[in-house]
Amino acid sequence: MACRRMFHTDVICSDAFLELPFSAQVLYIQLCMAADDDGFVNGARRIARQIDAKSSDLELLVQRRFLLKFGEVIVIKHWRLANSLKNDRLRATTFPEVAEKIYLKPNRVYTDHPEPGAINLLKLKETEMGRFKRNPFGIPREEKKTEENRKEEKGVEVEGDGIQKTETSDRLQVISGRLGKGVVYLTDEQISDLLDRMGIDCFDYYVDKLSSFIIDKNVKVKNHYKTLLQWWRDDSKV
């Protein structure tokens, strides 16, 4: 699940939202931070208790249609206005029975009523997932390669006489050491850039992949940063 959440000013700065009690506004923010990648929250009452919000705050958010309620699952109505995922991070919905009851309007707002132009969320998710071959973790599956193709990965420049080591990250050293695989060398600036581009999940995936590649092929890759970036770009085009 993504760690970053965005908020749309059309919602947060609207008169309807600002007229809510402050405790209800805070609860809404906390629910958005706890939501999954589709804007679903399971355990809204627990979150309300943790921040000392009133049960009436949750009911008011539902009543004012900032939230849609389906049993114990709460849906952030305006979720897709500000939050979206890159193709390489799509995952199947955790609550298909809820997604089946939700529709996405042309303005990217959820509704529980079928309307002209609205798309069923479950069908939309299935369509989005169907466009890309994915494993359960949301990362593009690698196509089967022949033994000859496995000798060289696309976008990898192999050195002949050793590798020039750059400033390394403690985090990468820990990952490589824990998995017992080859070390990936990146500067702090490169790490920050990759995290901004692809997110933490994909970052971990491609670092692990490069580590395995270095060990399995017993080669020295010329530029770790460019290789990770190229792999990610290639998979995003699938």
Side-chain angles (χ1 to χ4, degrees):
M1 188 175 77
C3 298
R4 299 180 182 180
R5 297 305 183 205
M6 303 295 290
F7 300 89
H8 203 288
T9 55
D10 286 352
V11 178
I12 300 301
C13 298
S14 67
D15 288 340
F17 186 83
L18 295 176
E19 288 172 358
L20 292 170
F22 183 70
S23 55
Q25 296 181 36
V26 173
L27 177 57
Y28 179 83
I29 301 297
Q30 290 297 324
L31 290 174
C32 287
M33 295 305 299
D36 66 15
D37 293 336
D38 291 308
F40 293 7
V41 184
N42 188 16
R45 295 188 183 281
R46 170 180 53 80
I47 295 172
R49 289 195 298 270
Q50 289 176 342
I51 65 172
D52 293 328
K54 303 174 183 178
S55 59
S56 58
D57 291 327
L58 182 59
E59 294 171 1
L60 183 59
L61 288 169
V62 173
Q63 180 183 344
R64 298 287 177 86
R65 301 283 291 178
F66 286 99
L67 305 175
L68 304 177
K69 191 173 186 299
F70 299 88
E72 295 300 315
V73 178
I74 294 295
V75 179
I76 311 298
K77 181 178 179 181
H78 302 90
W79 182 258
R80 288 211 174 198
L81 274 180
N83 294 279
S84 61
L85 290 176
K86 295 180 180 179
N87 294 333
D88 56 356
R89 301 195 65 193
L90 291 173
R91 302 186 186 190
T93 179
T94 309
F95 304 98
E97 69 283 357
V98 175
E100 191 175 15
K101 302 175 183 177
I102 296 176
Y103 296 83
L104 184 67
K105 297 193 288 187
N107 62 357
R108 299 185 63 77
V109 174
Y110 287 147
T111 180
D112 49 4
H113 300 294
E115 298 181 7
I119 305 172
N120 181 261
L121 180 60
L122 183 59
K123 292 182 179 179
L124 176 62
K125 290 286 293 184
E126 291 173 347
T127 300
E128 291 174 337
M129 295 294 295
R131 291 174 184 166
F132 306 93
K133 295 181 179 180
R134 316 234 151 242
N135 65 20
F137 300 99
I139 304 299
R141 291 185 185 274
E142 294 185 63
E143 297 292 342
K144 291 184 178 180
K145 305 179 181 67
T146 63
E147 188 61 31
E148 182 178 353
N149 290 337
R150 286 183 179 278
K151 292 180 180 179
E152 289 190 17
E153 288 278 351
K154 183 179 180 181
V156 178
E157 296 183 65
V158 178
E159 282 198 341
D161 300 318
I163 184 171
Q164 179 180 1
K165 297 182 180 180
T166 59
E167 180 182 354
T168 61
S169 160
D170 292 337
R171 170 179 157 69
L172 289 178
Q173 293 280 17
V174 170
I175 289 176
S176 299
R178 184 178 69 244
L179 298 177
K181 297 176 180 178
V183 177
V184 174
Y185 294 99
L186 296 169
T187 65
D188 290 339
E189 182 179 349
Q190 290 171 340
I191 294 172
S192 178
D193 178 64
L194 291 173
L195 286 172
D196 287 341
R197 289 173 182 265
M198 62 180 69
I200 184 66
D201 292 339
C202 285
F203 178 80
D204 287 343
Y205 171 79
Y206 288 109
V207 166
D208 186 24
K209 178 179 177 180
L210 181 54
S211 293
S212 300
F213 178 82
I214 293 171
I215 288 297
D216 294 344
K217 305 302 179 183
N218 193 27
V219 296
K220 296 177 181 179
V221 178
K222 185 175 182 180
N223 191 312
H224 291 190
Y225 167 76
K226 287 184 177 179
T227 299
L228 294 172
L229 188 59
Q230 186 62 50
W231 280 350
W232 173 71
R233 284 174 173 169
D234 289 344
D235 287 341
S236 297
K237 296 176 183 177
V238 176

